[in-house]
Amino acid sequence: MNPEQYVQQKAAASGSSFYYAFLFLPPPRRAAITAFYAFCREVDDVVDEVSDPSVARNKLVWWQAEVHRAFQGQPSHPVMQALMPHAASYHMEQRHLQAVIDGCLMDLDQTRYLDYAGLQRYCHLVAGIVGEVAAQIFGQTDPATTQYAHRLGQALQLTNILRDVGEDALRGRIYLPVNDLQQFDVKAHEIIKREYSDRFTALMRFEAERAHRLYDEALALLPTADRRAQKPGLMMASIYRTLLREIEDENFQVLHQRISLTPLRKFWLAWKVQALGRL
């Protein structure tokens, strides 16, 4: 298996909504975003799949060194071998990839966030930076598009957090800010024990409204000149916002299940943006 086949398999196997947005890109851009997404999956999987925190930390430290070697012209991992030929063309810098790793390292050190400002820092690293790189690959021409990409990344990540509240709690992580839990009188042990309540529903509704505001702000920030080029990001916005509405329709029953969209529905939502320009 060559590096290009490796990253393609990594991206496709994830089942992520992002993959559907990549399908409509021309081959060079699709190859670049697939390799970058595979890198993000590799480092994120370290946190999710390695149970021993010290082993996970060592793996992420290895990735930090691998990224440094790759930008010195010596990539050894197939993901970096697939990614590096595209780095210069799409303005990918070492700092971007190191920031994503820094976000994953935060997961090893921090299982709670006192307030939304703290959570935003985490989202900036694992989603905002990813959005910034993706916007360049998609064909950004206006510098203002970077601000849109960061805001959209925050919206997508918050949607992920709301979808995964139950799964994350099983891993000992609660991303919902502590002061938000306090505001709605929701105790961490209730989430860990999968106990639903009107208080939990109110908390989740509050967080969902925050996510909707982020989507609205992101779309308002997207310059008209880049709207066509940024269609893959708009596809992701459509898919994830539909998922958010599905979570709302299910009355936030996320503690015991993972609410998701079918592959066909994701493809349909992506196609609508591509063909009709509608979210």
Side-chain angles (χ1 to χ4, degrees), residues 11-206:
S14 73
S16 170
S17 304
F18 288 73
Y19 182 67
Y20 295 87
F22 304 163
L23 297 175
F24 298 92
L25 285 166
R29 296 186 191 278
R30 187 166 67 241
I33 194 64
T34 299
F36 177 63
Y37 179 71
F39 163 79
C40 294
R41 285 260 43 94
E42 287 282 352
V43 296
D44 189 60
D45 285 350
V46 170
V47 176
D48 289 341
E49 297 177 3
V50 179
S51 56
D52 186 329
S54 63
V55 174
R57 186 177 305 279
N58 286 339
K59 284 179 174 289
L60 290 175
V61 169
W62 182 90
W63 272 106
Q64 288 177 323
E66 169 65 6
V67 168
H68 179 74
R69 286 192 298 269
F71 277 87
Q72 298 299 312
Q74 297 176 309
S76 62
H77 194 282
V79 161
M80 297 308 298
Q81 290 170 350
L83 182 61
M84 291 315 297
H86 306 287
S89 300
Y90 300 113
H91 310 290
M92 276 182 264
E93 300 175 23
Q94 181 176 172
R95 66 179 177 87
H96 293 131
L97 276 64
Q98 298 289 7
V100 175
I101 299 172
D102 288 344
C104 292
L105 283 166
M106 283 183 72
D107 269 329
L108 301 180
D109 297 325
Q110 196 165 349
T111 58
R112 301 285 192 278
Y113 292 88
L114 292 178
D115 52 28
Y116 181 59
L119 181 62
Q120 278 183 303
R121 169 63 181 161
Y122 169 75
C123 292
H124 167 76
L125 293 172
V126 300
I129 293 292
V130 173
E132 179 180 336
V133 173
Q136 289 285 355
I137 294 173
F138 297 155
Q140 174 178 347
T141 62
D142 190 325
T145 297
T146 299
Q147 192 176 2
Y148 143 83
H150 275 273
R151 198 66 53 90
L152 179 59
Q154 298 258 341
L156 300 177
Q157 187 63 26
L158 186 52
T159 302
N160 273 341
I161 287 170
L162 298 181
R163 178 196 63 194
D164 296 341
V165 170
E167 287 183 12
D168 289 331
L170 291 177
R171 297 187 177 108
R173 297 192 203 114
I174 299 177
Y175 290 98
L176 303 177
V178 171
N179 65 355
D180 290 352
L181 268 68
Q182 292 172 338
Q183 179 182 338
F184 291 92
D185 194 28
V186 174
K187 305 298 190 291
H189 70 81
E190 294 174 333
I191 294 176
I192 293 169
K193 292 180 179 178
R194 302 182 175 188
E195 295 177 1
Y196 292 101
S197 65
D198 291 341
R199 292 171 287 107
F200 175 76
T201 302
L203 165 65
M204 292 293 286
R205 185 172 294 113
F206 173 80

Side-chain angles (χ1 to χ4, degrees), residues 221-249:
L221 286 167
L222 178 58
T224 302
D226 272 355
R227 188 172 177 86
R228 179 180 292 274
Q230 297 303 316
K231 272 188 177 181
L234 297 176
M235 291 175 193
M236 288 184 269
S238 178
I239 292 170
Y240 272 76
R241 200 166 195 180
T242 300
L243 172 61
L244 179 60
R245 291 180 179 125
E246 193 82 5
I247 292 168
E248 291 172 313
D249 290 345

